[in-house]
Amino acid sequence: MRFALLLLLLCGCSRESPTSVGGHTMGTTWSLRVHPGSHLPPAAEIQQKLDAWESILSHWQPESALSRFNTSSSTDWISVPPELIEVVELAQRISTETNHAFDITLAPLIDLWGFGSSGRRNAPPSSEEITASKALCGWQHLHTRHDPPALRKDIPALRINVSAVAEGWALDHLAKHLESSDLHDFLLEIGGEVLAHGEWRVGIQAPAAPPGETAQTLLLRDQSIATSGVYRQHFMADGKEYAHILDPRTGSPIAHPLASVSVIHSSAALADGYATALLVLGPLEGRTLAAKLSLQAIWFERKK
């Protein structure tokens, strides 16, 4: 599960304040900002698209296509909408490119550590419990088919959660829709993930900083920025902090000093997923991979 560090939306490059519409989606909020004088699409038009995608990609709506796949114990092909295939394949690409630091099948481990739907815990699980839950995970056990669109799992109990890329994916597709409507200068945001068409200036709030305090500002030009951080959910046991971000390779929470990573990319979906993977990898391995993939990233480490 990924929590985005809220990006403080500042003014665009115009001296006048932008106009905006917004609403709720995917358990968070969305907004669209345009410069004064630009056509602002009705909020209902955007909400309708977001609601349709949420009905496919949501892991908390019991009737979503994703939830129906999760509740099935069949290892045969299961028909799903093509949008879900696209998101899953995007996630698998990130898993491959990041040395398996990204995995959308970690639900059993997330539940085990008390960060899922099964409720909180105040002590870490045993190594035997971690091993047993890891056996129910693994993105390599998830397969896609395009014609007709379908998913298949090797493990009957395998479940997927695409929240670490779904918001970015929705931003990318919303941007294409707005461009097709002849809108070319706008700022889209879902849950703190931001996509800019044209030039927009945004500010980044450092982890644990007071609300409204900006640590860094930057100019986005036809780019997206997404952030993953460990500052929202954790529990303490015997004086040790256990963060909600899990390393798929160990099945345990990350334990390095990196507090958050922001990734700037032309694709909001890739920025979304890469930010989570780099946070898992930590300050050393993460920076090495970012250089290899030519990723522009902003790093915040916790004070020792």
Side-chain angles (χ1 to χ4, degrees), residues 86-156:
E86 183 179 341
V87 173
V88 166
E89 290 185 341
L90 175 75
Q92 291 179 322
R93 168 187 167 180
I94 297 170
S95 299
T96 301
E97 292 179 344
T98 60
N99 303 323
H100 309 288
F102 186 83
D103 194 331
I104 60 173
T105 70
L106 297 186
L109 283 165
I110 292 170
D111 287 343
L112 177 67
W113 280 96
F115 299 117
S117 58
S118 59
R120 302 296 183 190
R121 63 184 304 146
N122 53 21
S126 67
S127 58
E128 291 79 12
E129 289 176 310
I130 294 172
T131 298
S133 291
K134 277 189 69 179
L136 303 177
C137 306
W139 63 271
Q140 303 95 327
H141 298 294
L142 180 65
H143 309 280
T144 62
R145 186 181 71 189
H146 285 262
D147 189 17
L151 291 175
R152 181 174 65 81
K153 47 182 149 182
D154 297 328
I155 303 171

Side-chain angles (χ1 to χ4, degrees), residues 5-299:
L5 179 64
L6 180 63
L7 293 172
L8 305 175
L9 303 185
L10 306 179
C11 61
C13 295
S14 167
R15 291 184 178 181
E16 298 182 71
S17 297
T19 55
S20 65
V21 293
H24 294 268
T25 188
M26 301 182 185
T28 185
T29 59
W30 68 267
S31 68
L32 167 66
R33 300 190 177 199
V34 301
H35 293 304
S38 297
H39 168 67
L40 189 63
E45 174 186 322
I46 297 172
Q47 190 68 57
Q48 183 178 26
K49 288 190 170 294
L50 289 169
D51 289 347
W53 293 332
E54 188 171 6
S55 72
I56 296 171
L57 305 175
S58 170
H59 63 275
W60 59 85
Q61 291 185 359
E63 294 304 315
S64 73
L66 185 148
S67 292
R68 291 197 302 271
F69 175 78
N70 282 348
T71 56
S72 172
S73 59
S74 172
T75 55
D76 294 329
W77 288 106
I78 298 175
S79 297
V80 297
E83 292 88 348
L84 182 53
I85 300 297
E86 183 179 341
V87 173
V88 166
E89 290 185 341
L90 175 75
Q92 291 179 322
R93 168 187 167 180
I94 297 170
S95 299
T96 301
E97 292 179 344
T98 60
N99 303 323
H100 309 288
F102 186 83
D103 194 331
I104 60 173
T105 70
L106 297 186
L109 283 165
I110 292 170
D111 287 343
L112 177 67
W113 280 96
F115 299 117
S117 58
S118 59
R120 302 296 183 190
R121 63 184 304 146
N122 53 21
S126 67
S127 58
E128 291 79 12
E129 289 176 310
I130 294 172
T131 298
S133 291
K134 277 189 69 179
L136 303 177
C137 306
W139 63 271
Q140 303 95 327
H141 298 294
L142 180 65
H143 309 280
T144 62
R145 186 181 71 189
H146 285 262
D147 189 17
L151 291 175
R152 181 174 65 81
K153 47 182 149 182
D154 297 328
I155 303 171
L158 192 78
R159 290 180 284 154
I160 58 177
N161 180 333
V162 298
S163 59
V165 288
E167 292 173 7
W169 180 89
L171 286 173
D172 287 334
H173 282 261
L174 272 180
K176 292 177 182 177
H177 169 71
L178 294 173
E179 283 190 290
S180 69
S181 303
D182 205 30
L183 184 62
H184 303 288
D185 195 351
F186 55 83
L187 188 70
L188 274 170
E189 178 262 343
I190 298 178
E193 318 294 25
V194 174
L195 182 151
H197 265 241
E199 292 187 349
W200 291 82
R201 189 171 299 278
V202 301
I204 301 178
Q205 181 181 332
E213 182 176 307
T214 303
Q216 183 175 347
T217 61
L218 64 153
L219 182 69
L220 293 181
R221 182 183 293 110
D222 297 328
Q223 293 172 304
S224 300
I225 184 167
T227 301
S228 189
V230 298
Y231 37 83
R232 292 286 180 86
Q233 286 195 67
H234 63 271
F235 70 86
M236 300 290 297
D238 296 325
K240 183 177 179 181
E241 179 181 292
Y242 294 90
H244 77 282
I245 298 291
L246 305 184
D247 187 334
R249 301 166 299 179
T250 65
S252 297
I254 59 175
H256 52 66
L258 195 58
S260 73
V261 183
S262 297
V263 173
I264 301 169
H265 200 279
S266 57
S267 163
L270 289 176
D272 211 355
Y274 285 140
T276 298
L278 294 182
L279 181 63
V280 167
L281 291 171
L284 299 178
E285 194 178 353
R287 284 181 169 90
T288 299
L289 182 67
K292 178 182 177 181
L293 297 178
S294 300
L295 297 177
Q296 183 179 354
I298 300 169
W299 316 78

